[in-house]
Amino acid sequence: MTGLKPHFPVLEAEISKAGFKKKDIAKAIGIEPRTLTNKLKGKTEFNLTEVLEIGTMFPDIPPVELFSHKTETSTS
């Protein structure tokens, strides 16, 4: 990776769409809200247990899609 940090736009959108608060997601997976924020920003990584637990909250979306590392690219 060339300095790009992972970002999880699908996960963040699904959290918002479902009406979940990030602090509630953090509590459900046993981490502090700030830690979740760092993970969503790509500063730290999600571990397998966290991925699986979050996956149960969004059963209709494959984890590979929820946790994709999509980055915005400019077309101009």
Side-chain angles (χ1 to χ4, degrees):
M1 203 181 259
T2 59
L4 295 175
K5 295 191 187 263
H7 181 66
F8 306 100
V10 175
L11 178 57
E12 291 195 64
E14 291 301 322
I15 289 171
S16 179
K17 189 165 85 172
F20 291 132
K21 293 185 180 182
K22 289 180 184 174
K23 69 178 183 177
D24 296 328
I25 299 280
K27 184 177 181 180
I29 64 172
I31 61 175
E32 294 294 321
R34 179 175 292 216
T35 302
L36 178 62
T37 297
N38 287 338
K39 289 174 185 276
L40 290 170
K41 289 182 178 181
K43 293 181 178 181
T44 57
E45 294 182 7
F46 286 96
N47 66 40
L48 181 58
T49 302
E50 294 163 346
V51 169
L52 294 173
E53 187 65 33
I54 290 171
T56 66
M57 297 174 192
F58 303 96
D60 297 334
I61 304 168
V64 69
E65 184 179 336
L66 268 180
F67 290 91
S68 65
H69 297 299
K70 296 180 181 179
T71 57
E72 294 295 321
T73 56
S74 175
T75 58
S76 46

PDB file of all heavy atoms in Angstrom, residues 2-3 7 10 20-21 23 29-30 32-34 41-42 44 57-58 60 70:
ATOM      1  N   THR A   2       0.517   2.249  -0.743  1.00  0.00           N
ATOM      2  CA  THR A   2       1.358   3.417  -0.904  1.00  0.00           C
ATOM      3  C   THR A   2       0.909   4.576  -0.026  1.00  0.00           C
ATOM      4  O   THR A   2       0.598   5.652  -0.502  1.00  0.00           O
ATOM      5  CB  THR A   2       1.367   3.872  -2.376  1.00  0.00           C
ATOM      6  OG1 THR A   2       0.018   4.157  -2.743  1.00  0.00           O
ATOM      7  CG2 THR A   2       1.970   2.827  -3.284  1.00  0.00           C
ATOM      8  N   GLY A   3       0.852   4.354   1.254  1.00  0.00           N
ATOM      9  CA  GLY A   3       0.486   5.410   2.179  1.00  0.00           C
ATOM     10  C   GLY A   3      -1.010   5.644   2.324  1.00  0.00           C
ATOM     11  O   GLY A   3      -1.424   6.477   3.109  1.00  0.00           O
ATOM     12  N   HIS A   7     -10.133   2.469   4.636  1.00  0.00           N
ATOM     13  CA  HIS A   7     -11.331   3.188   5.049  1.00  0.00           C
ATOM     14  C   HIS A   7     -12.504   2.264   4.740  1.00  0.00           C
ATOM     15  O   HIS A   7     -12.453   1.517   3.778  1.00  0.00           O
ATOM     16  CB  HIS A   7     -11.442   4.490   4.268  1.00  0.00           C
ATOM     17  CG  HIS A   7     -12.627   5.311   4.646  1.00  0.00           C
ATOM     18  ND1 HIS A   7     -12.781   5.887   5.869  1.00  0.00           N
ATOM     19  CD2 HIS A   7     -13.726   5.642   3.941  1.00  0.00           C
ATOM     20  CE1 HIS A   7     -13.932   6.539   5.904  1.00  0.00           C
ATOM     21  NE2 HIS A   7     -14.519   6.401   4.754  1.00  0.00           N
ATOM     22  N   VAL A  10     -18.551   1.359   3.257  1.00  0.00           N
ATOM     23  CA  VAL A  10     -19.760   0.535   3.294  1.00  0.00           C
ATOM     24  C   VAL A  10     -20.181   0.305   4.741  1.00  0.00           C
ATOM     25  O   VAL A  10     -21.346   0.479   5.098  1.00  0.00           O
ATOM     26  CB  VAL A  10     -19.547  -0.811   2.557  1.00  0.00           C
ATOM     27  CG1 VAL A  10     -20.758  -1.711   2.716  1.00  0.00           C
ATOM     28  CG2 VAL A  10     -19.238  -0.579   1.083  1.00  0.00           C
ATOM     29  N   PHE A  20     -27.671   2.720  14.020  1.00  0.00           N
ATOM     30  CA  PHE A  20     -26.796   2.403  15.151  1.00  0.00           C
ATOM     31  C   PHE A  20     -25.930   3.606  15.496  1.00  0.00           C
ATOM     32  O   PHE A  20     -25.564   4.385  14.622  1.00  0.00           O
ATOM     33  CB  PHE A  20     -25.857   1.235  14.813  1.00  0.00           C
ATOM     34  CG  PHE A  20     -26.531  -0.085  14.661  1.00  0.00           C
ATOM     35  CD1 PHE A  20     -26.259  -0.888  13.565  1.00  0.00           C
ATOM     36  CD2 PHE A  20     -27.421  -0.564  15.604  1.00  0.00           C
ATOM     37  CE1 PHE A  20     -26.852  -2.128  13.410  1.00  0.00           C
ATOM     38  CE2 PHE A  20     -28.027  -1.809  15.466  1.00  0.00           C
ATOM     39  CZ  PHE A  20     -27.734  -2.586  14.362  1.00  0.00           C
ATOM     40  N   LYS A  21     -25.620   3.740  16.756  1.00  0.00           N
ATOM     41  CA  LYS A  21     -24.638   4.733  17.193  1.00  0.00           C
ATOM     42  C   LYS A  21     -23.306   4.016  17.308  1.00  0.00           C
ATOM     43  O   LYS A  21     -23.241   2.863  17.745  1.00  0.00           O
ATOM     44  CB  LYS A  21     -25.041   5.334  18.532  1.00  0.00           C
ATOM     45  CG  LYS A  21     -26.299   6.153  18.428  1.00  0.00           C
ATOM     46  CD  LYS A  21     -26.623   6.827  19.710  1.00  0.00           C
ATOM     47  CE  LYS A  21     -27.909   7.626  19.500  1.00  0.00           C
ATOM     48  NZ  LYS A  21     -28.299   8.350  20.658  1.00  0.00           N
ATOM     49  N   LYS A  23     -20.986   4.393  19.350  1.00  0.00           N
ATOM     50  CA  LYS A  23     -20.652   4.001  20.728  1.00  0.00           C
ATOM     51  C   LYS A  23     -21.323   2.679  21.094  1.00  0.00           C
ATOM     52  O   LYS A  23     -20.781   1.885  21.850  1.00  0.00           O
ATOM     53  CB  LYS A  23     -21.010   5.101  21.724  1.00  0.00           C
ATOM     54  CG  LYS A  23     -22.496   5.337  21.914  1.00  0.00           C
ATOM     55  CD  LYS A  23     -22.767   6.402  22.948  1.00  0.00           C
ATOM     56  CE  LYS A  23     -24.260   6.549  23.168  1.00  0.00           C
ATOM     57  NZ  LYS A  23     -24.554   7.514  24.203  1.00  0.00           N
ATOM     58  N   ILE A  29     -18.947  -4.849  20.702  1.00  0.00           N
ATOM     59  CA  ILE A  29     -17.774  -5.657  20.354  1.00  0.00           C
ATOM     60  C   ILE A  29     -16.670  -5.551  21.399  1.00  0.00           C
ATOM     61  O   ILE A  29     -15.593  -6.111  21.224  1.00  0.00           O
ATOM     62  CB  ILE A  29     -17.242  -5.333  18.941  1.00  0.00           C
ATOM     63  CG1 ILE A  29     -16.742  -3.897  18.825  1.00  0.00           C
ATOM     64  CG2 ILE A  29     -18.311  -5.612  17.900  1.00  0.00           C
ATOM     65  CD1 ILE A  29     -16.042  -3.603  17.507  1.00  0.00           C
ATOM     66  N   GLY A  30     -16.964  -4.835  22.497  1.00  0.00           N
ATOM     67  CA  GLY A  30     -16.040  -4.806  23.626  1.00  0.00           C
ATOM     68  C   GLY A  30     -14.849  -3.884  23.491  1.00  0.00           C
ATOM     69  O   GLY A  30     -13.774  -4.166  24.039  1.00  0.00           O
ATOM     70  N   GLU A  32     -13.574   0.525  23.179  1.00  0.00           N
ATOM     71  CA  GLU A  32     -13.946   1.911  23.450  1.00  0.00           C
ATOM     72  C   GLU A  32     -14.374   2.595  22.150  1.00  0.00           C
ATOM     73  O   GLU A  32     -13.874   2.255  21.070  1.00  0.00           O
ATOM     74  CB  GLU A  32     -12.756   2.672  24.045  1.00  0.00           C
ATOM     75  CG  GLU A  32     -12.330   2.174  25.417  1.00  0.00           C
ATOM     76  CD  GLU A  32     -13.391   2.436  26.476  1.00  0.00           C
ATOM     77  OE1 GLU A  32     -14.018   3.505  26.440  1.00  0.00           O
ATOM     78  OE2 GLU A  32     -13.588   1.549  27.324  1.00  0.00           O
ATOM     79  N   PRO A  33     -15.277   3.569  22.232  1.00  0.00           N
ATOM     80  CA  PRO A  33     -15.701   4.297  21.032  1.00  0.00           C
ATOM     81  C   PRO A  33     -14.529   4.903  20.255  1.00  0.00           C
ATOM     82  O   PRO A  33     -14.523   4.870  19.021  1.00  0.00           O
ATOM     83  CB  PRO A  33     -16.630   5.378  21.579  1.00  0.00           C
ATOM     84  CG  PRO A  33     -17.190   4.775  22.824  1.00  0.00           C
ATOM     85  CD  PRO A  33     -16.049   3.976  23.413  1.00  0.00           C
ATOM     86  N   ARG A  34     -13.544   5.422  20.955  1.00  0.00           N
ATOM     87  CA  ARG A  34     -12.384   6.018  20.279  1.00  0.00           C
ATOM     88  C   ARG A  34     -11.620   4.951  19.490  1.00  0.00           C
ATOM     89  O   ARG A  34     -11.125   5.207  18.401  1.00  0.00           O
ATOM     90  CB  ARG A  34     -11.452   6.688  21.280  1.00  0.00           C
ATOM     91  CG  ARG A  34     -10.228   7.306  20.623  1.00  0.00           C
ATOM     92  CD  ARG A  34      -9.404   8.039  21.615  1.00  0.00           C
ATOM     93  NE  ARG A  34     -10.184   9.196  22.037  1.00  0.00           N
ATOM     94  CZ  ARG A  34      -9.673  10.362  22.317  1.00  0.00           C
ATOM     95  NH1 ARG A  34      -8.387  10.550  22.288  1.00  0.00           N
ATOM     96  NH2 ARG A  34     -10.442  11.357  22.678  1.00  0.00           N
ATOM     97  N   LYS A  41     -11.123   4.611  10.691  1.00  0.00           N
ATOM     98  CA  LYS A  41     -10.226   5.506   9.958  1.00  0.00           C
ATOM     99  C   LYS A  41      -8.996   4.783   9.420  1.00  0.00           C
ATOM    100  O   LYS A  41      -8.208   5.365   8.701  1.00  0.00           O
ATOM    101  CB  LYS A  41      -9.783   6.658  10.853  1.00  0.00           C
ATOM    102  CG  LYS A  41     -10.883   7.648  11.145  1.00  0.00           C
ATOM    103  CD  LYS A  41     -10.369   8.781  11.990  1.00  0.00           C
ATOM    104  CE  LYS A  41     -11.453   9.803  12.239  1.00  0.00           C
ATOM    105  NZ  LYS A  41     -10.954  10.925  13.055  1.00  0.00           N
ATOM    106  N   GLY A  42      -8.824   3.522   9.825  1.00  0.00           N
ATOM    107  CA  GLY A  42      -7.674   2.768   9.352  1.00  0.00           C
ATOM    108  C   GLY A  42      -6.418   2.963  10.168  1.00  0.00           C
ATOM    109  O   GLY A  42      -5.348   2.531   9.758  1.00  0.00           O
ATOM    110  N   THR A  44      -5.931   1.674  13.172  1.00  0.00           N
ATOM    111  CA  THR A  44      -5.685   0.345  13.730  1.00  0.00           C
ATOM    112  C   THR A  44      -6.585  -0.632  12.981  1.00  0.00           C
ATOM    113  O   THR A  44      -7.544  -0.225  12.322  1.00  0.00           O
ATOM    114  CB  THR A  44      -5.975   0.287  15.247  1.00  0.00           C
ATOM    115  OG1 THR A  44      -7.321   0.694  15.491  1.00  0.00           O
ATOM    116  CG2 THR A  44      -5.042   1.190  16.045  1.00  0.00           C
ATOM    117  N   MET A  57     -24.330  -8.166  13.054  1.00  0.00           N
ATOM    118  CA  MET A  57     -25.234  -7.010  13.098  1.00  0.00           C
ATOM    119  C   MET A  57     -25.776  -6.660  11.717  1.00  0.00           C
ATOM    120  O   MET A  57     -26.778  -5.951  11.601  1.00  0.00           O
ATOM    121  CB  MET A  57     -24.500  -5.809  13.684  1.00  0.00           C
ATOM    122  CG  MET A  57     -24.048  -6.003  15.100  1.00  0.00           C
ATOM    123  SD  MET A  57     -23.051  -4.594  15.625  1.00  0.00           S
ATOM    124  CE  MET A  57     -22.367  -5.246  17.132  1.00  0.00           C
ATOM    125  N   PHE A  58     -25.081  -7.143  10.678  1.00  0.00           N
ATOM    126  CA  PHE A  58     -25.464  -6.867   9.293  1.00  0.00           C
ATOM    127  C   PHE A  58     -25.475  -8.189   8.515  1.00  0.00           C
ATOM    128  O   PHE A  58     -24.660  -8.404   7.616  1.00  0.00           O
ATOM    129  CB  PHE A  58     -24.474  -5.877   8.661  1.00  0.00           C
ATOM    130  CG  PHE A  58     -24.352  -4.595   9.416  1.00  0.00           C
ATOM    131  CD1 PHE A  58     -23.327  -4.405  10.339  1.00  0.00           C
ATOM    132  CD2 PHE A  58     -25.275  -3.574   9.240  1.00  0.00           C
ATOM    133  CE1 PHE A  58     -23.223  -3.230  11.057  1.00  0.00           C
ATOM    134  CE2 PHE A  58     -25.174  -2.394   9.953  1.00  0.00           C
ATOM    135  CZ  PHE A  58     -24.150  -2.212  10.861  1.00  0.00           C
ATOM    136  N   ASP A  60     -27.175  -9.490   6.183  1.00  0.00           N
ATOM    137  CA  ASP A  60     -27.454  -9.516   4.746  1.00  0.00           C
ATOM    138  C   ASP A  60     -26.292  -9.009   3.892  1.00  0.00           C
ATOM    139  O   ASP A  60     -26.389  -9.004   2.661  1.00  0.00           O
ATOM    140  CB  ASP A  60     -28.702  -8.688   4.431  1.00  0.00           C
ATOM    141  CG  ASP A  60     -29.953  -9.264   5.084  1.00  0.00           C
ATOM    142  OD1 ASP A  60     -29.974 -10.492   5.332  1.00  0.00           O
ATOM    143  OD2 ASP A  60     -30.888  -8.498   5.351  1.00  0.00           O
ATOM    144  N   LYS A  70     -12.156   0.338   0.234  1.00  0.00           N
ATOM    145  CA  LYS A  70     -12.383   1.195  -0.931  1.00  0.00           C
ATOM    146  C   LYS A  70     -11.751   2.560  -0.692  1.00  0.00           C
ATOM    147  O   LYS A  70     -11.812   3.101   0.402  1.00  0.00           O
ATOM    148  CB  LYS A  70     -13.868   1.358  -1.187  1.00  0.00           C
ATOM    149  CG  LYS A  70     -14.540   0.054  -1.555  1.00  0.00           C
ATOM    150  CD  LYS A  70     -16.017   0.256  -1.796  1.00  0.00           C
ATOM    151  CE  LYS A  70     -16.648  -1.071  -2.128  1.00  0.00           C
ATOM    152  NZ  LYS A  70     -18.081  -0.951  -2.344  1.00  0.00           N
TER     153      LYS A  70
END
